[in-house]
Amino acid sequence: MEYNVEMFKPIQKDIKSAEAIVRPSVTYWQDAWRRLKQNRGAMIGLWTIVAIIAIAIFGPMVSPYSYSDQNLEEQNQFCSSKHWLGTDDLGRDLLTRIMYGARISLTVGFLASLINLTVGVIYGGISGFYGGTTDNIMMRIVEVLNAIPMLLYVILLMVILEPGLQNILIALGLVYWLGMARIVRGQVLSLKEQDFVLAARTIGASNWQIITKHLIPNAMGPIIVTATLNIPSAIFTEAFLSFIGLGVNAPMASWGVLASDALQSFRSYPWQLFFPAIAISITMFAFNFLGDGLRDALDPKQRK
Amino acid sequence: MGSYVLKRLLSVVLVIFIVSTATFVLMHAIPGGPFKREKALPPAIQRNIEERYKLNDPLWKQYVDYIGNLFRGDLGPSYKYLGRSVNDIIREGFPISAQLGLASVAFALLLGIPCGIISALKQNRWQDNIIMAVAIIGVSVPSFVMATLLMYVFAVKLRWLPAAMWGTPKHIVLPVLALAGFPTAFFARLMRSSTLDVLSQDYIRTARSKGLSWAAVVYKHVIKNAILPVVTYLGPLVAGIVTGSFVVENIFAIPGLGRYYVTSIYNRDYTTIMGVTIFYSALLVLLNFAVDIAYGWIDPRIKLTDAKE
């Protein structure tokens, strides 16, 4: 076959259609959500957390027992249709106490993480934004505090403050914001040199506006990941404190208190220990899975 | 390098000083003082006790005495165990806790690191999946849950190992497993990600292309570089094992320092709480210092100078 010029004709260049955006643009958060949805472990973690929260809120309402109802005729029973997870040494329904304990443990987890988030973001934000001497002094303080084994000082604070939910939150809030402050500082330090900050400044934005409207929203990914991973460590610390006798006051019970109480009669009634232990472990699992997934989704640079 | 070490040493001293002062302030902020009971003591006895423990001195003098004693390594008398000092308690309890702790660190390193390497070399294969699944259980299950589970299975049900007390090598197995669970899993995860990181480096390709066998590359290049981040986590690891020992020693009734510490918390034995807190803080701060120095020595790429930015 022969080729000649007549067989070809030029295609009209259609610049417009080549440049047209076919798909809707995807924001950072939509993209992160898409990535998170592909991560099966993270989604299982997320739904487990939703389920635990629902149980913590509605469970005690539905239950026919209260967390403090004693019934000395039904001490230390094993699982039955009347008490699904058995009863403790004072005949209190274990399922109700675990569901109630979920409220306390989750409250501690979320509130402690929130306190750390607030303190850490403000401290790190100021330190990173102002830089220079301010940054130097503020980071020296963090360095010194970081060298101190914090859990020992949480214990010390709890000894002084006397056990109780509020004081656990104070103790955890006071000492665990360091990691958050460092991360926020690092983010702010690199973000503040970027052009969009300069642009904001030229149109007259104040420092406060730049920090709250530009720097912190852009640093949100690592902040959320850190906050999520702080929740299980707060729950763990609360359980640990309760276990060594520095937890919430009776008859209230967090998971750590339940586990610690059950330890005395552990050989005869092991299930009293196993159920709260399983509850703690599942929750830690869920948050760790979700945290890992969020890290992958929100912080693609860190992905391995 | 010398001036860096000196600077770091100064900051270690400063941190220990701050820690001691903070502990002193916290302990004297307790309302009512350490000898307030529900039942009021006769005033004469109260006076005598306060005399004995020098609680009548002005606060600044108590503080100066306290820091002076610390300087000589004297942590003072115990408020609850008559005739025993905090030093006695530490001398008695710490060797046992140290044995337990060292065994746990060794276990975590010897199991965690190889698992992490295998996991990375067999990325996304069944070996990797199994190791990582076990590792996430390890980081999610608190040590007291692990301890009681192990005790229930191996001591109560199977009766293979003793459930409590201390003395023979058999007694050390379960507490070490309980304590080492978290760090082993943590090291496996850390080692996996750092090995994957090293595997993607150019020098690995170079080593392969010059004809080295895969085993030699892994042994000579991958492991040596990948193990570095693990060293930095030794400090936090020991801190975790110390606090873990508080619960594990209690569960297994081991007469170590962690058990004394928790007992002193139950009894509100303030001087013992204070002394042991300072002892552990100083230990961990010094350990972190040692790790920092060792890190610079192991990895020559890190310069031990103050050039921060």
Side-chain angles (χ1 to χ4, degrees):
Chain A
M1 189 176 166
E2 292 250 330
Y3 295 102
N4 49 32
V5 185
E6 282 80 59
M7 290 177 73
F8 296 92
K9 65 175 186 217
I11 296 175
Q12 219 57 47
K13 270 195 187 153
D14 186 359
I15 295 171
K16 247 193 197 136
S17 70
E19 292 278 296
I21 294 164
V22 185
R23 288 162 203 252
S25 76
V26 179
T27 65
Y28 172 64
W29 295 108
Q30 286 168 333
D31 194 34
W33 175 240
R34 186 184 57 78
R35 274 199 292 263
L36 190 66
K37 271 197 294 194
Q38 286 169 353
N39 186 332
R40 211 184 318 146
M43 289 317 279
I44 293 173
L46 182 64
W47 288 115
T48 311
I49 292 165
V50 171
I52 294 170
I53 292 173
I55 290 172
I57 295 173
F58 301 111
M61 295 179 190
V62 179
S63 163
Y65 309 98
S66 129
Y67 69 92
S68 57
D69 277 351
Q70 299 182 11
N71 184 349
L72 296 179
E73 285 166 8
E74 296 181 339
Q75 286 170 312
N76 296 323
Q77 287 188 351
F78 189 59
C79 310
S80 64
S81 57
K82 202 172 166 203
H83 298 284
W84 288 359
L85 298 184
T87 59
D88 71 358
D89 58 335
L90 292 171
R92 295 176 291 200
D93 181 57
L94 203 56
L95 178 62
T96 311
R97 283 176 71 72
I98 288 175
M99 291 190 297
Y100 201 84
R103 283 189 182 183
I104 292 173
S105 293
L106 288 177
T107 310
V108 169
F110 279 107
L111 282 183
S113 177
L114 195 69
I115 294 171
N116 296 332
L117 183 116
T118 318
V119 178
V121 166
I122 293 174
Y123 193 97
I126 292 173
S127 179
F129 185 77
Y130 289 100
T133 321
T134 321
D135 181 40
N136 238 331
I137 294 170
M138 287 176 92
M139 279 301 123
R140 271 293 134 79
I141 294 172
V142 167
E143 239 168 66
V144 169
L145 289 177
N146 212 34
I148 298 168
M150 280 303 174
L151 195 52
L152 288 174
Y153 285 84
V154 173
I155 293 173
L156 214 58
L157 275 173
M158 289 308 296
V159 171
I160 293 156
L161 294 172
E162 290 300 317
L165 188 58
Q166 197 188 342
N167 289 336
I168 289 181
L169 285 174
I170 293 174
L172 290 180
L174 276 176
V175 296
Y176 280 125
W177 52 271
L178 296 168
M180 181 66 86
R182 284 183 145 184
I183 284 166
V184 174
R185 174 196 173 254
Q187 290 285 320
V188 167
L189 216 52
S190 68
L191 284 171
K192 74 169 179 181
E193 303 296 337
Q194 295 193 13
D195 289 341
F196 66 89
V197 176
L198 188 64
R201 199 178 292 286
T202 46
I203 57 170
S206 68
N207 281 346
W208 179 247
Q209 278 174 321
I210 290 177
I211 292 180
T212 53
K213 292 261 161 65
H214 297 285
L215 297 181
I216 290 176
N218 276 301
M220 218 53 203
I223 291 175
I224 288 176
V225 173
T226 315
T228 313
L229 290 173
N230 268 342
I231 295 172
S233 59
I235 292 176
F236 170 77
T237 311
E238 186 277 328
F240 171 79
L241 287 174
S242 300
F243 201 80
I244 61 173
L246 296 170
V248 293
N249 296 319
M252 277 212 288
S254 70
W255 289 335
V257 174
L258 290 173
S260 159
D261 286 350
L263 191 65
Q264 268 84 39
S265 52
F266 161 63
R267 279 163 181 250
S268 325
Y269 317 112
W271 67 90
Q272 289 179 3
L273 179 71
F274 289 156
F275 293 130
I278 290 169
I280 297 172
S281 306
I282 289 177
T283 312
M284 302 273 291
F285 255 135
F287 275 105
N288 279 332
F289 267 119
L290 180 64
D292 280 356
L294 277 175
R295 192 204 309 274
D296 292 346
L298 291 174
D299 209 357
K301 273 173 282 179
Q302 277 196 22
R303 229 164 352 157
K304 291 273 154 63
Chain B
M1 162 118 188
S3 77
Y4 172 82
V5 173
L6 201 69
K7 246 185 195 164
R8 281 279 311 172
L9 201 61
L10 274 178
S11 92
V12 164
V13 173
L14 180 73
V15 167
I16 293 176
F17 177 73
I18 290 173
V19 160
S20 326
T21 306
T23 316
F24 180 86
V25 170
L26 283 173
M27 279 304 169
H28 283 78
I30 300 165
F35 291 106
K36 271 282 189 294
R37 311 266 163 82
E38 281 107 74
K39 225 171 85 184
L41 290 167
I45 295 177
Q46 182 82 29
R47 247 196 327 276
N48 272 336
I49 290 179
E50 284 177 359
E51 196 76 29
R52 163 96 170 67
Y53 292 107
K54 296 197 175 120
L55 292 172
N56 283 333
D57 289 347
L59 207 56
W60 66 266
K61 190 166 184 310
Q62 287 186 42
Y63 176 69
V64 171
D65 284 349
Y66 169 75
I67 293 290
N69 284 338
L70 266 190
F71 206 66
R72 277 179 276 116
D74 178 6
L75 294 165
S78 158
Y79 279 173
K80 288 286 153 80
Y81 296 103
L82 281 180
R84 287 178 77 188
S85 70
V86 180
N87 287 38
D88 291 337
I89 291 174
I90 292 176
R91 210 171 295 133
E92 209 171 286
F94 183 63
I96 295 175
S97 294
Q99 273 178 37
L100 186 59
L102 285 176
S104 306
V105 173
F107 183 89
L109 290 173
L110 290 179
L111 187 67
I113 290 176
C115 281
I117 295 170
I118 293 170
S119 205
L121 293 178
K122 306 271 178 191
Q123 195 189 1
N124 296 330
R125 305 254 284 279
W126 62 268
Q127 296 95 329
D128 182 29
N129 292 336
I130 288 176
I131 290 173
M132 284 302 113
V134 174
I136 205 154
I137 295 176
V139 294
S140 298
V141 178
S143 54
F144 59 87
V145 174
M146 193 80 96
T148 41
L149 271 179
L150 287 168
M151 186 162 139
Y152 185 72
V153 174
F154 293 104
V156 179
K157 285 286 145 190
L158 297 173
R159 297 186 176 279
W160 287 356
L161 292 159
M165 300 313 286
W166 188 252
T168 66
K170 267 189 166 180
H171 285 104
I172 205 169
V173 178
L174 291 182
V176 163
L177 286 179
L179 262 185
F182 179 87
T184 310
F186 185 83
F187 276 152
R189 281 159 61 107
L190 187 68
M191 198 64 202
R192 176 178 184 268
S193 71
S194 82
T195 307
L196 286 179
D197 202 35
V198 171
L199 283 175
S200 67
Q201 299 287 327
D202 289 340
Y203 58 77
I204 299 300
R205 198 177 318 127
T206 311
R208 278 295 276 164
S209 56
K210 78 180 180 191
L212 273 184
S213 72
W214 186 230
V217 170
V218 169
Y219 181 71
K220 289 216 169 116
H221 296 273
V222 177
I223 294 179
K224 274 188 184 167
N225 284 296
I227 217 155
L228 287 170
V230 172
V231 179
T232 45
Y233 279 92
L234 278 175
L237 161 79
V238 175
I241 282 185
V242 165
T243 46
S245 75
F246 297 166
V247 290
V248 170
E249 286 181 9
N250 259 293
I251 291 169
F252 290 103
I254 296 165
L257 190 53
R259 184 141 189 261
Y260 279 119
Y261 188 63
V262 176
T263 314
S264 71
I265 290 170
Y266 277 121
N267 295 334
R268 296 291 187 269
D269 183 351
Y270 291 113
T271 37
T272 309
I273 298 176
M274 198 153 114
V276 176
T277 305
I278 292 175
F279 173 73
Y280 271 137
S281 306
L283 184 77
L284 294 172
V285 169
L286 285 172
L287 188 91
N288 272 327
F289 168 69
V291 166
D292 272 6
I293 302 298
Y295 199 62
W297 177 63
I298 297 169
D299 187 357
R301 282 173 303 183
I302 292 171
K303 292 221 165 57
L304 291 181
T305 53
D306 250 358
K308 277 259 158 72
E309 259 69 43

